[in-house]
């Protein structure tokens, strides 16, 4: 392994810290992404429909499987090109920045996703299909804090897939 590849892997590892933090929501603010906004989109509950946008989301990030109560297993980090390719092969896609940000609960600071429908997974950076004008970078959204960044596409990060609902 070259020094550059080793440095990249160390950096990527630091981005994938699996923090399983309790939600810190503001009690005096109504939820912007309440449980009632979502419903199971299939019999197993592994897909979630956002009734407001019509989008259907995989409940768990890639590598985890919904077991009826939590996302179990080990999340699989992928670089952007792999994430895009494997999503398309599975008839899914990467969400746009706006779509992924749309899952963020604005009344909570950590974890930012609705805890009932998306809360049993790791907190970390998640790929989007959006770029910031660079062919080498893509926008990422942090599932815990909703922070936004532009990272190089070679870094392995979490993937949450989406598709348009029928």
């Amino acid at each position: 392994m070259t020094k550059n590849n080793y440095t990249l892997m160390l950096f990527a590892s630091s981005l994938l810290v699996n923090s399983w933090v309790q939600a810190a929501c503001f009690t005096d603010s109504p939820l912007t992404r309440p449980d009632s906004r979502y419903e199971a989109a299939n019999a197993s509950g592994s897909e979630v429909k956002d009734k407001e946008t019509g989008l259907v989301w995989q409940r768990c990030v890639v590598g985890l499987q919904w077991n009826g109560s939590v996302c179990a297993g080990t999340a699989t980090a992928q670089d952007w090109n792999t994430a895009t390719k494997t999503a398309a092969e599975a008839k899914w896609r990467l969400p746009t920045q706006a779509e992924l940000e749309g899952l963020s609960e604005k009344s909570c600071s950590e974890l930012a996703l609705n805890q009932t429908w998306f809360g049993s997974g790791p907190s970390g950076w998640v790929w989007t299909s959006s770029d910031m004008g660079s062919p080498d970078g893509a926008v990422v959204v942090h599932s815990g804090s909703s922070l936004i960044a532009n990272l190089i596409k070679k870094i392995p990060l979490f993937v949450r897939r989406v598709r348009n609902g029928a």
Side-chain angles (χ1 to χ4, degrees), residues 33 37 50 53 55 57 80 93-106 113 125-134 137-143 146-151 160 162:
R33 304 297 184 269
R37 179 176 171 152
D50 182 330
T53 65
L55 295 172
W57 295 87
W80 188 88
R93 63 180 173 80
L94 296 183
T96 66
Q97 176 184 345
E99 290 169 342
L100 192 55
E101 282 185 284
L103 288 182
S104 295
E105 174 54 61
K106 306 302 183 208
L113 299 180
W125 294 105
V126 180
W127 284 119
T128 74
S129 61
S130 304
D131 67 46
M132 296 179 113
S134 166
V139 175
V140 294
V141 177
H142 196 279
S143 61
S146 294
L147 291 175
I148 301 163
N150 186 34
L151 296 177
R160 186 177 301 276
V162 68

Side-chain angles (χ1 to χ4, degrees), residues 17-148:
V17 175
N18 288 337
S19 54
W20 301 80
V21 181
Q22 292 292 338
C25 297
F26 307 104
T27 56
D28 60 343
S29 297
L31 294 176
T32 61
R33 304 297 184 269
D35 291 351
S36 61
R37 179 176 171 152
Y38 305 100
E39 65 185 8
N42 62 357
S44 69
S46 64
E47 297 177 8
V48 176
K49 181 176 183 178
D50 182 330
K51 294 187 281 187
E52 190 172 306
T53 65
L55 295 172
V56 175
W57 295 87
Q58 286 187 331
R59 191 172 202 154
C60 305
V61 295
V62 170
L64 300 179
Q65 298 295 320
W66 181 247
N67 70 10
S69 57
V70 297
C71 292
T74 303
T76 305
Q78 296 179 336
D79 64 67
W80 188 88
N81 288 321
T82 301
T84 301
K85 180 182 176 195
T86 59
E89 289 169 351
K91 305 214 184 306
W92 292 87
R93 63 180 173 80
L94 296 183
T96 66
Q97 176 184 345
E99 290 169 342
L100 192 55
E101 282 185 284
L103 288 182
S104 295
E105 174 54 61
K106 306 302 183 208
S107 294
C108 298
S109 59
E110 184 76 42
L111 290 164
L113 299 180
N114 176 290
Q115 294 300 286
T116 301
W117 292 99
F118 302 103
S120 68
S123 176
W125 294 105
V126 180
W127 284 119
T128 74
S129 61
S130 304
D131 67 46
M132 296 179 113
S134 166
D136 298 324
V139 175
V140 294
V141 177
H142 196 279
S143 61
S145 64
S146 294
L147 291 175
I148 301 163

